[in-house]
Amino acid sequence: MKLTDRDQEMLDGIDGEGVALAMQVLVAIGRAFDAEQMCDISRAHVALSNQDADLWFAERLVAGGAVCRVSPTVNPGFCLEFFRQLPGLSSADMETMERTEVAYRALGAQLTYDCTPYLQGNVPRFGEVTAYSESSATPYMNSVYGARTNRESAQSALCAAVTGRVPVYGLLLEENRMGQVHVHVEPTLTDEFDYHLLGYAVPRKAGLQTAFVPVFTGIPANVSPEALMNLGAELNTGGNVPMYHIVGVTPEAPTLEAAFHGDPPDETIVITASDLAEEQQMLSAEGGPIDFALLGCPHLSLDQLRAIADRIGSRKFKSEFWVMTSFYAKELAGRMGVAEVIEKAGGNLVPDTCIDQVVWKHLAGKKGVTDSLKGAYYTQRRDMEFVLRSVGDCVEAAIRGATS
Amino acid sequence: MSAREASVIFCRGAAPGKASGPAVVSRDAMCFYLVDPPTGTVIEAGHAIEGRSIAGVVLVCPGGKGSSVVQADGLYQLAKAGTAPAAVVVAEFDTVLVASAVVVGVPLVRCDPEDFAQIRDGDTLEVDSDQEVVTIR
């Protein structure tokens, strides 16, 4: 890979050890992927996680004096202010999040703590070169906006933010953005939950564990942002799909031919209603009594919060009800009376927090309901069992204390 | 185990370093987060090598899977507990896996599919990411 004089200076430590470390990681990635050069990025999103590796690496960069050239938005850890009022967290649990906040503040990150920056706060134009980690964010950037990012890890995105540079390979190059697998969706999808199931079903049915770009037909042109958010999150969790096209919907797929760059697809698959039902059945725990509902992986949007409040009306929850959302949606939900409806019913609206965090340890060994297949997958380690249902059905289940 | 002669295959190095150990071959891609750090045992339900330990072995798998966050933390926790694989051999790189291996310091290489397919479970492998060769014994 050919480095500019400036890249070489950063690598040599002219800007300090932190920048040099970031450049070393980027150079290793560039070599692995046969990148010929590096280029500037205009935006970044770092999947901060408040996990040990994240903190360890962020503190190494801080110790080396690094400050981000491109200030990134960041993923949620957990909300210190919210959880300080609740019992159950040890001082060690608190300390990790406090240190994470201190480190990312020193790095000059935007402390948004939201996994849906593409809906607000960090929205690109078509064609911008960026570095976005977070499994729902990468496909959204590439697919919905036509911005360009590889499937960055939290650390590689942070290195890109620190240096303002990324190696040029993969989805930064036009030729790698062409579709490979034609996916025709037979049923008319009506609920955003259907897109969770679709996202998980596609890699399984295509039989592909390595990266590929699916091209969808049969998805309605008025598909909601939340449905696309769910689709990307699950495609990129159940499989390795940093980009997809939807013919007639996403900007690089005005036609089927354009999405495949004029070539025939490698493979064509059809997703049927029974594929989606099977996916749900395979991954869901058996229905029945539940202890809690845990929603918001990815963070629910303001519209989704409004729909929840409308459904609740004046009823009350029997089970614990937790919804994770962005600080932005929570603020607006407060202004609009939406938060009040959810809280009066006994529910909790939690900002800045991820489903895969220590704050949910009081739910370990219990049975819950969620709409997120991604959330259920990653919490296998936390001994939480999940029935999978639509957001609407999760609300009903928490009111009744049992799923349908 | 078959009495094959040692064979040397060329690879592309990503994360630097040299290591050797018995091969544990998985036909499924790997998410290091769903491995138990104290024992190095794969705990992902339904995974091809569920219940086996990857501590100190040369893990041979098609590639990585899992979100941008958990792969690095999974590998880091294994390294901290001393149960990380000695090296990882894949058929395809992805950015998350490469970045995780580089940051945590686990040698990682990629082989061509036909070379990759030669490696059998239980082979003794020497991985040299710097010289870009894998020796099968």
Side-chain angles (χ1 to χ4, degrees):
Chain A
M1 183 165 61
K2 195 160 177 282
L3 298 182
T4 63
D5 292 346
R6 188 74 194 97
D7 293 336
Q8 191 63 50
E9 282 176 10
M10 287 195 263
L11 188 62
D12 292 343
I14 302 285
D15 297 43
E17 281 173 29
V19 172
L21 171 61
M23 207 41 148
Q24 282 161 24
V25 173
L26 296 171
V27 166
I29 293 168
R31 288 208 179 114
F33 289 99
D34 295 317
E36 289 176 8
Q37 57 184 331
M38 302 186 95
C39 75
D40 288 340
I41 55 163
S42 53
R43 299 173 181 280
H45 177 76
V46 175
L48 170 152
S49 65
N50 178 41
Q51 290 178 336
D52 292 348
D54 172 48
L55 176 58
W56 169 72
F57 189 67
E59 286 184 342
R60 271 176 76 188
L61 290 172
V62 172
V67 177
C68 293
R69 287 204 158 74
V70 175
S71 174
T73 48
V74 297
N75 255 16
F78 68 83
C79 181
L80 285 163
E81 202 182 333
F82 186 94
F83 286 96
R84 247 189 219 120
Q85 310 159 23
L86 301 179
L89 284 189
S90 68
S91 52
D93 296 335
M94 285 292 179
E95 196 204 326
T96 312
M97 188 62 224
E98 286 161 358
R99 278 173 58 192
T100 301
E101 181 152 301
V102 167
Y104 277 88
R105 189 181 290 147
L107 287 167
Q110 301 174 37
L111 300 179
T112 49
Y113 298 129
D114 172 27
C115 51
T116 60
Y118 45 84
L119 296 182
Q120 65 264 320
N122 207 352
V123 179
R125 296 188 311 273
F126 182 85
E128 271 188 62
V129 176
T130 67
Y132 272 51
S133 52
E134 156 54 31
S135 48
S136 77
T138 308
Y140 208 97
M141 292 291 284
N142 280 313
S143 315
V144 181
Y145 293 122
R148 297 187 175 198
T149 174
N150 278 308
R151 189 176 186 272
E152 302 288 352
S153 79
Q155 287 73 33
S156 64
L158 183 53
C159 292
V162 163
T163 59
R165 303 282 282 170
V166 282
V168 179
Y169 69 96
L171 292 177
L172 269 42
L173 300 171
E174 180 70 24
E175 63 266 28
N176 297 322
R177 299 173 71 83
M178 71 183 246
Q180 280 133 12
V181 178
H182 179 192
V183 180
H184 182 68
V185 182
E186 217 172 58
T188 304
L189 306 183
T190 51
D191 195 289
E192 283 148 15
F193 180 61
D194 296 335
Y195 291 84
H196 275 297
L197 298 173
L198 176 64
Y200 229 86
V202 167
R204 194 187 297 276
K205 192 146 189 190
L208 290 172
Q209 297 192 357
T210 49
F212 69 103
V213 178
V215 178
F216 290 96
T217 54
I219 288 180
N222 65 351
V223 57
S224 70
E226 292 82 0
L228 296 174
M229 162 179 104
N230 291 349
L231 178 63
E234 305 296 4
L235 281 169
N236 211 10
T237 299
N240 181 347
V241 178
M243 178 169 188
Y244 59 83
H245 299 283
I246 304 176
V247 175
V249 176
T250 59
E252 292 171 64
T255 62
L256 192 64
E257 293 69 28
F260 285 103
H261 293 197
D263 286 354
D266 295 348
E267 192 186 343
T268 298
I269 61 173
V270 176
I271 298 288
T272 63
S274 64
D275 287 328
L276 300 183
E278 258 173 48
E279 205 63 35
Q280 183 176 4
Q281 200 180 358
M282 196 157 30
L283 298 168
S284 173
E286 206 176 317
I290 48 132
D291 304 306
F292 66 93
L294 186 55
L295 304 175
C297 175
H299 279 170
L300 295 196
S301 70
L302 180 63
D303 277 347
Q304 289 175 303
L305 298 180
R306 287 176 67 182
I308 288 173
D310 288 348
R311 182 178 277 273
I312 295 171
S314 57
R315 297 181 292 171
K316 300 263 184 272
F317 291 118
K318 266 202 188 117
S319 311
E320 288 182 43
F321 188 83
W322 302 90
V323 181
M324 289 162 285
T325 189
S326 63
F327 70 98
Y328 163 93
K330 173 153 183 174
E331 170 67 26
L332 291 180
R335 292 185 195 177
M336 294 162 69
V338 167
E340 196 185 344
V341 173
I342 296 172
E343 282 160 4
K344 266 195 176 157
N348 299 280
L349 208 48
V350 189
D352 296 354
T353 301
C354 174
I355 198 169
D356 190 17
Q357 285 284 322
V358 66
V359 293
W360 306 115
K361 66 183 171 190
H362 70 286
L363 303 176
K366 295 184 181 174
K367 191 166 186 172
V369 65
T370 188
D371 68 319
S372 175
L373 283 60
K374 174 183 174 183
Y377 176 76
Y378 285 119
T379 49
Q380 283 181 60
R381 248 176 55 145
R382 298 186 186 273
D383 190 25
M384 285 144 87
E385 193 185 9
F386 281 107
V387 181
L388 298 170
R389 293 289 186 269
S390 68
V391 170
D393 287 350
C394 288
V395 172
E396 295 300 330
I399 288 170
R400 276 198 308 271
T403 67
S404 48
Chain B
M1 195 186 301
S2 65
R4 288 186 295 162
E5 288 187 14
S7 61
V8 174
I9 55 185
F10 294 96
C11 62
R12 168 49 62 96
K18 274 188 255 190
S20 62
V24 167
V25 178
S26 166
R27 70 182 140 72
D28 286 339
M30 204 65 205
C31 174
F32 289 105
Y33 197 56
L34 296 174
V35 178
D36 178 44
T39 59
T41 304
V42 177
I43 59 167
E44 183 177 347
H47 195 275
I49 56 167
E50 182 186 0
R52 292 186 65 185
S53 173
I54 58 168
V57 308
V58 176
L59 177 68
V60 181
C61 60
K65 64 170 183 176
S67 81
S68 47
V69 166
V70 300
Q71 195 69 291
D73 197 63
L75 199 55
Y76 174 80
Q77 298 294 352
L78 297 177
K80 212 168 71 169
T83 54
V88 180
V89 179
V90 296
E92 186 163 346
F93 283 146
D94 68 88
T95 310
V96 172
L97 181 65
V98 170
S100 301
V102 170
V103 166
V104 178
V106 175
L108 169 71
V109 302
R110 180 194 67 206
C111 295
D112 288 338
E114 53 271 31
D115 292 329
F116 182 84
Q118 278 186 42
I119 304 171
R120 294 178 206 166
D121 203 90
D123 283 348
T124 297
L125 297 186
E126 290 169 17
V127 176
D128 188 337
S129 178
D130 308 329
Q131 298 299 318
E132 303 200 311
V133 290
V134 175
T135 309
I136 309 175
R137 295 197 189 277

